[in-house]
Amino acid sequence: GAVVSQHPSRVICKSGTSVKIECRSLDFQATTMFWYRQFPKQSLMLMATSNEGSKATYEQGVEKDKFLINHASLTLSTLTVTSAHPEDSSFYICSARGQILGRANSPLHFGNGTRLTVT
Amino acid sequence: DQQVKQNSPSLSVQEGRISILNCDYTNSMFDYFLWYKKYPAEGPTFLISISSIKDKNEDGRFTVFLNKSAKHLSLHIVPSQPGDSAVYFCAARWPGNTPLVFGKGTRLSVIA
């Protein structure tokens, strides 16, 4: 089945530094990947849609200059949290949709998430 | 304004009995609905889905029911097992290659 790999799984950084999170589709090509964020006991909130070869589309309230998304290939999207602050501490999860021939619908597959703690 | 709602934050069921998780949605343009299971510090794992043209989809112990007129779907797990204990998210999406909209999740505890 479709596998999405996300790295790192956990990162602790100091306020003001930048953190890069990688998301790879391992056995399929993903022209579109989605980045979500989850705060404790809350739902998964869509941050942005990452499109291979073009600019990402950000949801309202998500700062594009703070959360830089690069989707340089069909199997890799990266999210960089720039100048991180404690309020950016959260669980970040990427996802991609594996296309199954002959099926109009296919589910999103998620990475294992990255727990970011900014001190 | 939440478009996908899971009104029960938690549910406790005895092993072997049926677990019923409920989900309501407000947007009639959603055409595809999914259930995900999530453990702490892990990404959601896809469980089962249903297209809006169907009212039932079954996969082993898991069955999803969709009532379009009521904008309601439910996930039935029979029989429930301790390993089913997790947070279950209901999700929906519009037609096309669109992202998922998630509910807040329901924490299921299956007691042995």
Side-chain angles (χ1 to χ4, degrees), chain B residues 92-112:
Chain B
R93 72 155 215 240
W94 296 274
N97 190 17
T98 53
L100 296 179
V101 180
F102 285 87
K104 286 190 173 183
T106 297
R107 179 175 300 280
L108 173 66
S109 300
V110 180
I111 304 162

Side-chain angles (χ1 to χ4, degrees), chain A residues 10 31-32 34 36 38 41-44 46 49 91 93 97 99 103-113 115, chain B residues 2 31-32 34 36 38 40-46 49 51 89 93 96-105 107:
Chain A
R10 184 182 295 269
T31 54
T32 304
F34 303 100
Y36 287 83
Q38 185 187 25
K41 298 186 179 179
Q42 295 295 315
S43 181
L44 287 83
L46 179 69
T49 300
F91 191 58
I93 315 173
R97 180 167 289 119
Q99 295 298 321
R103 277 185 61 177
N105 288 310
S106 50
L108 277 184
H109 296 279
F110 287 82
N112 266 337
R115 169 72 59 195
Chain B
Q2 267 213 294
D31 74 337
Y32 189 52
L34 309 90
Y36 283 82
K38 186 179 182 299
E42 291 185 12
T45 303
F46 170 71
S49 64
S51 165
F89 286 94
R93 72 155 215 240
N97 190 17
T98 53
L100 296 179
V101 180
F102 285 87
K104 286 190 173 183
R107 179 175 300 280

